[in-house]
Amino acid sequence: MLDSISFAQKQRLAYIDFCLLFKGAIYRQDLINRFQVGLSAGSRDFSIYKELAPDNLSYDSREKRYFQTPQFKPVFEHDARRTLTKLANDISDGFDAIGDIHFPVEAPSSLNVPDIFIVARLVQAILNNKAVSVIYTSLSSGSNARELVPHSIVDNGLRWHVRAFDRKSQSFRDFVLTRISKVTIKDTPNEDESAQADTEWQRLIPLQLVPHPKNVEHPTAIEMDYGMENKQLLIEVRAAMAGYLLRRWNVDCTERGTLKGAEYQLWLQNRFTLNNVQNLAIAPGYEAKGNGSGGGN
């Protein structure tokens, strides 16, 4: 049946499929607003989707919304890596499932590709403000059931993780998506478990990055690479993300810029801003007594 459907209609059906998978529900008006189609055309799209997958959605006349059913199986194949990148950039379309335009641009191969259904369940929980029960395998304790309250999915440069309140440790932590093997959506969390209570997430810290004083022979090249102004790059980053960014960019975080190697092209000039920031064990060259870790998973 899909072979006889136009490309434009496939896009709309993929959008319905995407919303059901990642949001758990969709209003008819969502489709109409997204594609600027009439009410009759929108209704026809839902009818066709219902023909393609009769067990995928149910209509709630009271809420006037279509909901994902427990039997849901996506009609289209949603690529996990592309979908995560789109979600990170606030693009919710599902178009990659029907073949995006191919541009001659390549990205590095990813060794860490999460299960799309695990991602979908976590996104649903975040969007609907729900806690989840998961099976999580950590380096320290192996596989165990945990209750989490997720609020953000993050690309840390090497792998994807979910930032969540961990009810076991009563703290906000980072959990690697590929180590989660099962997700069950649970209750509505308390306010002290929400993103607003995650102080490391809410706190922004300024980073003052400059060309490395010892490893870079021609600093102008680095200034051009990073769009520096006045020979420095000033950025604000969430405290919870600082360690990941500093590692991803190989920023020398030693007090006097003493790390050697061509990979260290940047130096953190205002190192003092990292005081009391957690999860800095991965920041190159950073050492501080009593500095704990917000991850450890």
Side-chain angles (χ1 to χ4, degrees), residues 10-26 31 34-35 49 56 68 72-80 82-88 90-97 116 119-120 123-124 127:
K10 281 182 182 177
Q11 285 187 317
R12 299 196 296 271
L13 295 175
Y15 179 72
I16 294 172
D17 202 50
F18 181 91
C19 289
L20 288 171
L21 177 60
F22 288 95
K23 298 180 180 180
I26 180 174
L31 183 73
R34 178 69 175 78
F35 294 94
Y49 186 88
N56 270 12
Q68 180 198 103
F72 177 85
K73 291 182 180 179
V75 173
F76 298 90
E77 187 174 343
H78 301 271
D79 181 87
R82 288 186 180 182
T83 299
L84 278 167
T85 300
K86 286 187 172 185
L87 290 171
D90 199 24
I91 302 172
S92 304
D93 55 24
F95 291 178
D96 61 285
I116 194 70
V119 174
V123 171
Q124 273 190 53
L127 292 178

Side-chain angles (χ1 to χ4, degrees), residues 197-228:
D198 187 349
T199 54
E200 289 291 286
W201 184 262
Q202 298 298 335
R203 180 159 66 107
L204 295 177
I205 60 172
L207 300 180
Q208 186 177 355
L209 307 178
V210 298
H212 200 283
K214 299 173 184 175
N215 297 335
V216 176
E217 186 176 353
H218 301 287
T220 302
I222 302 303
E223 293 167 22
M224 294 173 69
D225 281 348
Y226 292 92
M228 293 184 178

Side-chain angles (χ1 to χ4, degrees), residues 160-270:
W160 292 91
H161 68 258
V162 60
R163 181 77 176 175
F165 181 79
D166 176 25
R167 287 177 170 171
K168 180 181 178 182
S169 64
Q170 289 292 297
S171 64
F172 288 94
R173 291 174 173 260
D174 302 335
F175 296 87
V176 182
L177 289 185
T178 49
R179 295 181 188 171
I180 299 174
S181 56
K182 185 179 180 181
V183 179
T184 304
I185 295 178
K186 306 285 283 186
D187 56 312
T188 300
N190 300 321
E191 285 188 16
D192 59 357
E193 299 174 320
S194 69
Q196 286 68 36
D198 187 349
T199 54
E200 289 291 286
W201 184 262
Q202 298 298 335
R203 180 159 66 107
L204 295 177
I205 60 172
L207 300 180
Q208 186 177 355
L209 307 178
V210 298
H212 200 283
K214 299 173 184 175
N215 297 335
V216 176
E217 186 176 353
H218 301 287
T220 302
I222 302 303
E223 293 167 22
M224 294 173 69
D225 281 348
Y226 292 92
M228 293 184 178
E229 295 182 6
N230 299 320
K231 301 182 179 183
Q232 63 181 2
L233 176 64
L234 296 174
I235 59 173
E236 280 193 330
V237 63
R238 296 185 188 277
M241 296 292 293
Y244 297 125
L245 183 144
L246 294 166
R247 177 181 64 177
R248 185 176 190 173
W249 288 3
N250 287 322
V251 179
D252 184 344
C253 299
T254 59
E255 198 166 352
R256 302 185 184 277
T258 53
L259 292 183
K260 295 181 180 180
E263 68 271 27
Y264 300 111
Q265 299 178 343
L266 295 170
W267 176 51
L268 179 64
Q269 198 167 47
N270 61 335

Side-chain angles (χ1 to χ4, degrees), residues 32-64:
I32 292 170
N33 293 342
R34 178 69 175 78
F35 294 94
Q36 296 296 300
V37 296
L39 180 60
S40 59
S43 298
R44 189 161 55 248
D45 289 334
F46 277 98
S47 296
I48 293 173
Y49 186 88
K50 187 82 172 175
E51 283 185 58
L52 288 166
D55 296 328
N56 270 12
L57 73 171
S58 61
Y59 184 70
D60 188 314
S61 57
R62 188 175 51 130
E63 293 197 29
K64 296 182 179 179

